[in-house]
């Protein structure tokens, strides 16, 4: 069940990134759409109001010409109908453009013009003589409307810092914030996924680098490090460590006892030798101590601390299991920094120490005419 939950969480995490990309795309498209819609509304609104303003101005001019006997009633009637036809277009623009509500009094102003023009419909359509006083009053009202409309166009709608522009920018800002948040969330999710991926790689690397039973460095890790030292021609030594009579412990007390011995010995290795180099298990009861130093006296002193810590038998199910080591060492410089030669000479030194039952480290350079023992590490 836990494994299934982990798989579900992994799938969920990896699906979040493409989902956030979709969200970014939708937010970006919304931003672009909002921008073009606002521009469309702005141009249509300005165009409609400017045309209305011009029609009002033309109607005022035609009315003044009529009063001056320079125009006919039919011409005035025609201009009135042009003004009347323009008003529904302006009212439609007011209803389509949501940002016009930010301009105070605009809708009321247009409605007043509409009512004023509508009230004159019967006056212009009748055959009676036009009332000069009423026409003059109507011209005055239209001039007042035109002045208000011009101020509204100049100060509130066309101006970059007007109320209409500020409302439009607020809409754009909301869309931009949505895009920014989507991008931020996407970056957070991608960063989290990268962190999870790196953590998983690190965990897998630790599993590769560590021996699963003892927690010491793995065979691959210790050999990789040895090869790196040889490539750089770093002065270093290796010490092969082998448990004496380990097979008899396994045969007599079982593999559980053998595993406990290996775990216990690994703990002592870390406590006594870990401060000076790296200890790795290369197989069975064999270990390598890789030391970035050629101070044999210091290495021997550390090894002596280890043998002292292992001098007391290990207690297992009421039985005492004596533990002892054989150790053979070699300096890499004596092998011309050839990894296979370093391993071969260290292995030979260790087997020589085992055959002599030595409790101290046997150095390859101290062996005269070493026997051709088999190499256990390639």
């Amino acid at each position: 069940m836990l494994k299934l939950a982990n798989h579900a969480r992994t799938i969920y995490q990896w699906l979040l990134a493409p989902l956030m990309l979709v969200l970014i795309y939708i937010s970006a498209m919304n931003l672009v759409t909002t921008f073009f819609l606002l521009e469309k509304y702005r141009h249509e609104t300005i165009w409609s109001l400017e045309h209305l303003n011009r029609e009002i101005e033309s109607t005022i001019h035609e009315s003044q010409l009529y009063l001056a006997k320079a125009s006919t009633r039919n011409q005035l009637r025609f201009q009135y109908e042009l003004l009347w036809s323009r008003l529904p277009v302006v009212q439609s623009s007011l209803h389509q453009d949501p940002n016009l509500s930010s301009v105070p009094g605009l809708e009321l102003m247009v409605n007043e013009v509409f009512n004023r023009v509508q009230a004159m419909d019967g006056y212009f359509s009748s055959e009676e003589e036009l009332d000069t006083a009423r026409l003059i009053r109507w011209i005055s009202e239209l001039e007042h409307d035109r002045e208000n409309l011009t101020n509204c166009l100049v100060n509130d709608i066309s101006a970059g810092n007007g109320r209409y522009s500020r409302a439009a920018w607020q809409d754009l800002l909301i869309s931009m914030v949505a895009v920014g948040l989507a991008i931020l969330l996407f970056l957070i999710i991608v960063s989290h996924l990268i962190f999870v991926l790196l953590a998983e790689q690190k965990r897998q690397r630790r599993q590769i680098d560590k021996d699963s039973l003892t927690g010491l460095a793995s065979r691959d890790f210790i050999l990789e490090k040895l090869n790196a030292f040889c490539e750089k021609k770093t002065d270093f030594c290796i010490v092969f460590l082998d448990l004496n009579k380990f097979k008899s412990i396994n045969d007599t007390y079982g593999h559980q006892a053998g595993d406990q011995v290996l775990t216990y010995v690994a703990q002592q290795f870390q406590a006594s030798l870990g401060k000076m180099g790296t200890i790795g298990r290369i197989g069975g009861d064999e270990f390598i101590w890789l030391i970035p130093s050629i101070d044999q006296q210091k290495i021997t002193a550390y090894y002596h601390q280890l043998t002292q810590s292992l001098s007391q038998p290990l207690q297992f199910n009421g039985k005492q299991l004596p533990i002892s080591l054989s150790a053979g060492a070699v300096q890499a410089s004596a092998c011309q920094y050839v990894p296979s030669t370093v391993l071969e000479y260290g292995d030979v030194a260790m087997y020589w120490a085992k055959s002599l039952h030595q409790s101290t480290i046997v150095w390859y350079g101290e062996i005269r005419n070493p026997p051709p023992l088999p190499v256990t590490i390639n």
Side-chain angles (χ1 to χ4, degrees):
M1 191 68 183
L2 182 60
K3 189 175 182 180
L4 182 62
N6 289 334
H7 282 310
R9 185 171 66 251
T10 302
I11 293 171
Y12 170 73
Q13 288 174 340
W14 285 103
L15 279 178
L16 274 179
L19 286 175
M20 288 309 304
L21 281 176
V22 172
L23 180 59
I24 290 173
Y25 173 77
I26 293 173
S27 301
M29 291 303 298
N30 179 63
L31 174 61
V32 173
T33 303
T34 301
F35 174 78
F36 282 109
L37 274 178
L38 289 174
E39 280 296 300
K40 175 177 176 290
Y41 289 150
R42 181 174 177 274
H43 286 298
E44 288 181 354
T45 299
I46 292 175
W47 182 85
S48 297
L49 291 175
E50 285 179 345
H51 273 68
L52 175 61
N53 210 20
R54 282 197 292 270
E55 293 299 339
I56 292 175
E57 186 176 0
S58 297
T59 303
I60 292 171
H61 179 68
E62 194 65 37
S63 299
Q64 290 172 340
L65 289 176
Y66 177 80
L67 289 174
K69 308 297 183 180
S71 177
T72 65
R73 181 171 181 153
N74 287 336
Q75 289 175 319
L76 179 57
R77 173 70 183 178
F78 178 75
Q79 181 57 47
Y80 168 81
E81 289 176 351
L82 287 177
L83 174 60
W84 176 247
S85 65
R86 175 57 52 192
L87 285 168
V89 177
V90 176
Q91 288 180 317
S92 175
S93 297
L94 289 176
H95 294 140
Q96 287 182 1
D97 190 347
N99 288 318
L100 283 177
S101 60
S102 64
V103 182
L106 177 60
E107 187 174 1
L108 178 62
M109 185 191 313
V110 173
N111 288 336
E112 286 180 352
V113 173
F114 180 85
N115 294 332
R116 207 180 322 280
V117 173
Q118 186 181 38
M120 294 294 288
D121 183 59
Y123 177 70
F124 282 111
S125 60
S126 68
E127 297 298 328
E128 298 178 2
E129 187 69 22
L130 296 178
D131 186 351
T132 302
R134 184 177 181 183
L135 187 58
I136 291 173
R137 187 170 62 253
W138 188 61
I139 291 172
S140 176
E141 291 171 347
L142 286 180
E143 286 179 339
H144 177 72
D145 292 335
R146 185 177 65 84
E147 183 180 352
N148 290 339
L149 194 58
T150 300
N151 290 334
C152 181
L153 271 169
V154 172
N155 298 323
D156 291 326
I157 298 177
S158 299
N161 60 345
R163 292 185 178 92
Y164 182 87
S165 296
R166 289 199 297 269
W169 273 110
Q170 286 176 359
D171 289 343
L172 279 176
L173 184 61
I174 291 172
S175 298
M176 286 189 288
V177 168
V179 174
L181 287 175
I183 293 174
L184 179 62
L185 286 174
F186 174 74
L187 292 176
I188 291 173
I189 291 170
V190 169
S191 300
H192 173 70
L193 291 177
I194 292 173
F195 175 79
V196 170
L197 184 61
L198 291 176
E200 179 63 20
Q201 288 179 342
K202 189 175 181 180
R203 185 186 66 81
Q204 292 178 357
R205 182 65 185 176
R206 281 199 303 267
Q207 289 180 341
I208 295 172
D209 293 346
K210 296 290 184 181
D211 178 66
S212 59
L213 176 62
T214 63
L216 298 175
S218 66
R219 174 190 175 93
D220 290 340
F221 180 81
I222 204 76
L223 294 182
E224 183 180 330
K225 198 165 186 178
L226 183 145
N227 287 330
F229 279 3
C230 287
E231 286 180 8
K232 296 177 182 178
K233 290 185 167 45
T234 303
D235 285 333
F236 73 96
C237 299
I238 65 165
V239 179
F240 270 74
L241 302 166
D242 187 85
L243 291 176
N244 296 323
K245 300 180 180 179
F246 179 72
K247 185 176 183 301
S248 65
I249 293 176
N250 267 335
D251 293 342
T252 305
Y253 302 104
H255 289 285
Q256 186 178 0
D259 289 347
Q260 188 163 336
V261 168
L262 291 173
T263 303
Y264 173 72
V265 168
Q267 292 172 353
Q268 299 306 313
F269 284 169
Q270 288 285 35
S272 300
L273 310 180
K275 295 179 182 179
M276 190 178 184
T278 306
I279 308 99
R281 182 186 178 205
I282 58 173
D285 60 339
E286 293 184 346
F287 303 85
I288 284 181
W289 179 20
L290 184 62
I291 312 155
S293 171
I294 55 174
D295 188 342
Q296 293 188 14
Q297 185 176 358
K298 191 174 181 180
I299 293 170
T300 301
Y302 271 88
Y303 181 74
H304 180 70
Q305 292 179 12
L306 173 64
T307 55
Q308 289 295 314
S309 67
L310 295 174
S311 60
Q312 296 297 323
L314 175 65
Q315 299 294 326
F316 177 77
N317 291 340
K319 303 291 184 180
Q320 291 188 341
L321 306 180
I323 299 173
S324 63
L325 296 170
S326 295
V330 66
Q331 289 187 20
S333 58
C335 309
Q336 287 74 49
Y337 299 99
V338 178
S340 59
T341 306
V342 173
L343 293 171
E344 178 184 356
Y345 286 5
D347 201 20
V348 167
M350 184 270 293
Y351 276 105
W352 191 252
K354 185 180 283 288
S355 66
L356 294 176
H357 305 289
Q358 291 276 4
S359 60
T360 59
I361 298 176
V362 173
W363 290 86
Y364 183 83
E366 299 172 357
I367 303 174
R368 295 182 179 179
N369 301 318
L373 298 175
V375 179
T376 59
I377 303 177
N378 295 319

